[in-house]
């Protein structure tokens, strides 16, 4: 009996996404990069889960990029982010628009 080991090349965008997210350890801990699973993210995307408004905005940005979902993208409020987030966070989002990733 032969066994075949299937290997997949890692998506370079996943590594770029991970490097963006690692600057936010409070949020990074919820991502499962090995399984590319968003189960825990679904639970967190509930208004009853406490997060600061800035963390919630960043969470929704990262979740929308991670899932690529229109529904998730609509939950991210660009105007609120422009006024509420710190300059470094707005710059990270601007850099994403210059060089987007699709993890």
């Amino acid at each position: 009996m032969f066994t075949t080991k299937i290997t997949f090349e890692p998506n370079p965008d996943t590594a770029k996404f991970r490097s963006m997210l690692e600057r936010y350890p409070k949020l990074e801990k919820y991502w499962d990069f090995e399984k590319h699973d968003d189960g825990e993210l679904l639970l967190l995307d509930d208004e009853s889960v406490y997060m600061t408004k800035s963390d919630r905005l960043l969470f929704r940005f990262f979740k929308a990029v991670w899932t690529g979902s229109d529904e998730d993208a609509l939950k991210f409020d660009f105007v609120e982010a422009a006024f509420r987030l710190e300059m470094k966070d707005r710059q990270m989002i601007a850099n994403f628009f210059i060089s987007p990733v699709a993890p």
Side-chain angles (χ1 to χ4, degrees), residues 41-59:
L41 300 179
L42 296 172
L43 298 173
L44 285 170
D45 201 6
D46 180 337
E47 291 294 331
S48 67
V49 175
Y50 176 76
M51 283 187 203
T52 66
K53 289 188 181 259
S54 294
D55 285 346
R56 171 87 49 207
L57 282 164
L58 289 167
F59 169 78

Side-chain angles (χ1 to χ4, degrees), residues 28-39:
E28 180 188 28
K29 65 184 176 184
Y30 299 113
W31 263 259
D32 186 339
F33 289 97
E34 281 65 44
K35 294 181 187 174
H36 205 303
D37 181 28
D38 61 350

Side-chain angles (χ1 to χ4, degrees), residues 3-96:
T3 59
T4 304
K5 183 177 181 182
I6 298 173
T7 58
F8 296 97
E9 289 297 317
N11 179 347
D13 279 356
T14 301
K16 291 175 187 173
F17 176 81
R18 194 172 195 167
S19 73
M20 286 173 29
L21 186 59
E22 68 188 8
R23 297 179 206 146
Y24 303 93
K26 282 194 238 174
L27 301 175
E28 180 188 28
K29 65 184 176 184
Y30 299 113
W31 263 259
D32 186 339
F33 289 97
E34 281 65 44
K35 294 181 187 174
H36 205 303
D37 181 28
D38 61 350
E40 193 167 3
L41 300 179
L42 296 172
L43 298 173
L44 285 170
D45 201 6
D46 180 337
E47 291 294 331
S48 67
V49 175
Y50 176 76
M51 283 187 203
T52 66
K53 289 188 181 259
S54 294
D55 285 346
R56 171 87 49 207
L57 282 164
L58 289 167
F59 169 78
R60 291 213 165 129
F61 168 76
F62 285 121
K63 184 174 181 238
V65 173
W66 180 253
T67 65
S69 158
D70 290 341
E71 181 181 342
D72 288 332
L74 289 171
K75 290 181 179 179
F76 178 68
D77 187 335
F78 287 94
V79 175
E80 184 179 6
F83 287 102
R84 184 170 299 280
L85 294 179
E86 294 181 22
M87 177 63 133
K88 67 179 181 62
D89 303 326
R90 294 192 314 264
Q91 187 63 55
M92 181 270 301
I93 293 169
N95 290 340
F96 168 79

